[in-house]
Amino acid sequence: MITFLVSIAILIIGYFTYGKFVEKVFGVKEERLTPAYTKADGVDYVPMKTSKNSLIQLLNIAGVGPIFGPIMGALYGPVAFIWIVVGCIFAGAVHDYLTGMISIRNRGAHLPELAGKFLGKAFKHVVNAFAILLLILVGTVFVTAPAALIADLTPAWVSMGVIVTLIFIYYIAATMLPVDKIIGRLYPIFGALLLISALGVGGALVVQGAPIPEISLENMHPGGLAIFPLLFLTISCGALSGFHATQSPIISRTTQKEKQGRKIFYGMMILEGIIAMIWAAAGMAMFSGQELNDILGPGGPGPGAVVSQVSIAALGAIGGTLAILGVIVLPITSGDTAFRSARMIIADYLNVKQKKILSRLWIAAPLFVISVALTQIDFNLLWRYFSWANQSTAMIALWVGAMYLALQRKNHWIAVVPAVFITMVTFTYILNAEIGFRLPILYSYIGGALITMVIIVTYFVAVRRRLEASEAGIRPIHVDDDFEKTA
């Protein structure tokens, strides 16, 4: 219990200390007009208040990831707490803040455009395809997961097919309509439900004196799976998630002032970390490692069953049902913005204005067709592909942030260090995984380390060349919009 409470305290302190430091390194400009005003279109670029933007950002990034991921990560034992705290403060929140703020400085650009600008034109095309793949996987996962939870609460005659269809109808509406029509109006209500459910479960763990284990580096996974790299892909949302790099630009287009960025981007990631801590603790306290492994393993009911059992055990039938509804809200409010983000990325890539609804429709329709087909694939398989694509996107986003800071001769180490770590994680995983090259783990460690070293050297060489070219007047550096406007 002490480890649990101290971890949450450290996350909160991290927002007020390291978050402030990251903001200072970036250097906000109060007088600079944001894209919400300079590109206002009444659809995606719409100025909204900080409180509303914060709740939307939280719901955008907090799908089932900070619940299902930590529940699965609980199999490794309290070492998961360390990754959530350290990862959230020094990697995830930095990742979210930089992607959001760099997007604000570049007309609300999404990650593919930013990757092309800072890492090279070829990256724009690669990251564009990668981001669309990730978003479709996210949208699909966040249809099937909440549908399964809803099915447990509804009469038997309400089939999964009906529930999935209703969720898709909502997704289509949220993807197509202006951001302030559905998302801007419903998310504050959903946000309140989310926070009540998370705090309810967390409070019950404390009041009931749940046997939450104390800090340990021991690997307690019943199947003996390696902590590195698997834990760092299993728990992504809540610690570090590339999916967030696709969501922050949505809010960069509705943020009123740069000063609001720390609360919206860094702060909401810290809050997601607290949610992840609560569910990781619940998984460890209410189930033995073997029990949890049986539930999460092949043939088991999956993490949704853990959510249901924990909620009802902690809060009773009525309170537990409300908590489950809060969990259902999470994936639905990330799935809709996943498809919305995919539409915006494709529109930017093809340079298609989104003022007219027909322009939005012909881009969005194929995304939903593909997603419907993917719902027929096993959830666990989808999750493995999502986890790898997710952390690979985080790797790219952190290198973009590092390059942005380096070209301004600012402290780029705040992004370089987590970028190096997650680069090693993602390449080690894909070399070893069944969905990858299936190399022995030792060879995967060696291969991951060698690839990571090549990327580090490439990065520093690129930084030096671009700075030298700028000083020689050959290639001026423009990290922000060329037409900075001030209020």
Side-chain angles (χ1 to χ4, degrees):
M1 182 66 73
I2 294 176
T3 296
F4 173 67
L5 295 175
V6 169
S7 295
I8 290 179
I10 292 174
L11 284 168
I12 296 171
I13 293 170
Y15 169 74
F16 290 102
T17 55
Y18 198 69
K20 188 77 172 179
F21 173 71
V22 171
E23 179 185 56
K24 184 177 180 180
V25 169
F26 184 84
V28 297
K29 298 180 181 179
E30 278 284 355
E31 71 281 2
R32 183 185 173 101
L33 289 177
T34 62
Y37 297 104
T38 61
K39 297 197 64 166
D41 64 358
V43 178
D44 297 317
Y45 294 87
V46 180
M48 294 194 295
K49 296 180 180 179
T50 308
S51 57
K52 185 172 287 190
N53 278 329
S54 296
L55 279 174
I56 293 174
Q57 174 71 2
L58 175 62
L59 289 167
N60 284 357
I61 64 176
V64 289
I67 297 176
F68 283 17
I71 287 173
M72 292 186 285
L75 288 168
Y76 293 89
V79 67
F81 294 154
I82 300 174
W83 167 231
I84 292 172
V85 173
V86 175
C88 187
I89 294 173
F90 297 103
V94 174
H95 167 282
D96 290 13
Y97 181 80
L98 290 178
T99 52
M101 295 303 293
I102 295 171
S103 177
I104 286 177
R105 291 281 179 89
N106 287 273
R107 313 184 194 189
H110 277 270
L111 183 59
E113 187 174 341
L114 296 177
K117 180 173 183 177
F118 294 106
L119 301 182
K121 293 182 179 179
F123 274 90
K124 178 178 180 179
H125 309 297
V126 173
V127 177
N128 191 75
F130 210 82
I132 297 301
L133 171 64
L134 172 63
L135 289 167
I136 292 176
L137 286 173
V138 168
T140 304
V141 168
F142 292 171
V143 169
T144 55
L149 289 171
I150 293 173
D152 291 337
L153 300 177
T154 53
W157 57 267
V158 181
S159 68
M160 276 286 289
V162 171
I163 297 171
V164 167
T165 299
L166 292 175
I167 293 175
F168 268 119
I169 290 172
Y170 166 75
Y171 280 0
I172 292 170
T175 300
M176 300 290 295
L177 294 176
V179 68
D180 59 338
K181 299 305 180 185
I182 291 183
I183 293 174
R185 292 178 180 178
L186 293 181
Y187 273 35
I189 300 172
F190 290 160
L193 183 59
L194 158 65
L195 293 176
I196 290 171
S197 66
L199 293 176
V201 171
L205 292 175
V206 175
V207 171
Q208 296 172 9
I212 303 172
E214 303 300 343
I215 191 169
S216 169
L217 295 178
E218 181 184 355
N219 183 0
M220 298 181 180
H221 197 291
L225 297 181
I227 290 176
F228 190 95
L230 295 177
L231 174 63
F232 307 104
L233 283 100
T234 302
I235 302 180
S236 51
C237 296
L240 169 63
S241 170
F243 171 63
H244 299 185
T246 68
Q247 300 302 290
S248 293
I250 295 177
I251 303 305
S252 77
R253 300 183 180 195
T254 61
T255 300
Q256 296 171 319
K257 294 182 179 181
E258 287 191 359
K259 192 67 177 177
Q260 298 167 352
R262 182 162 68 97
K263 180 178 181 181
I264 294 171
F265 301 118
Y266 198 101
M268 292 306 101
M269 180 59 205
I270 292 294
L271 191 50
E272 185 186 86
I274 293 173
I275 294 171
M277 281 292 303
I278 289 171
W279 284 101
M284 295 178 207
M286 296 192 175
F287 302 88
S288 69
Q290 190 57 54
E291 288 173 339
L292 199 57
N293 194 48
D294 291 340
I295 295 173
L296 301 176
V306 175
V307 170
S308 298
Q309 291 183 47
V310 167
S311 298
I312 294 174
L315 301 173
I318 297 177
T321 300
L322 290 175
I324 294 170
L325 289 175
V327 173
I328 290 171
V329 161
L330 281 173
I332 290 178
T333 54
S334 290
D336 57 4
T337 50
F339 287 114
R340 186 179 188 89
S341 181
R343 170 182 65 78
M344 293 162 66
I345 288 174
I346 294 173
D348 289 351
Y349 185 75
L350 300 177
N351 196 26
V352 177
K353 301 297 182 184
Q354 296 292 277
K355 187 80 173 177
K356 297 180 180 178
I357 194 166
L358 285 178
S359 298
R360 288 171 250 157
L361 178 61
W362 74 260
I363 291 176
L367 300 175
F368 288 107
V369 171
I370 295 171
S371 182
V372 169
L374 288 175
T375 58
Q376 306 306 308
I377 297 177
D378 178 65
F379 174 83
N380 290 323
L381 180 61
L382 280 177
W383 188 267
R384 287 198 294 271
Y385 278 106
F386 159 69
S387 295
W388 176 73
N390 190 39
Q391 297 306 62
S392 296
T393 303
M395 172 186 70
I396 294 168
L398 282 167
W399 284 118
V400 167
M403 181 65 76
Y404 176 90
L405 296 174
L407 294 180
Q408 298 181 86
R409 300 184 184 279
K410 293 183 177 180
N411 182 0
H412 61 151
W413 292 103
I414 62 172
V416 169
V417 173
V420 168
F421 177 77
I422 202 62
T423 299
M424 178 67 181
V425 166
T426 53
F427 280 106
T428 300
Y429 175 78
I430 201 61
L431 290 174
N432 176 250
E434 290 185 7
I435 65 171
F437 294 92
R438 302 185 181 184
L439 296 179
I441 190 64
L442 178 60
Y443 293 153
S444 299
Y445 287 146
I446 295 172
L450 290 174
I451 294 172
T452 301
M453 289 177 66
V454 169
I455 291 174
I456 293 171
V457 171
T458 302
Y459 165 76
F460 281 101
V461 169
V463 170
R464 187 189 66 189
R465 287 180 176 174
R466 293 187 66 172
L467 289 175
E468 289 176 349
S470 176
E471 291 173 355
I474 299 172
R475 185 185 177 189
I477 294 174
H478 298 290
V479 294
D480 299 327
D481 285 341
D482 295 334
F483 66 96
E484 179 173 329
K485 295 182 179 180
T486 57

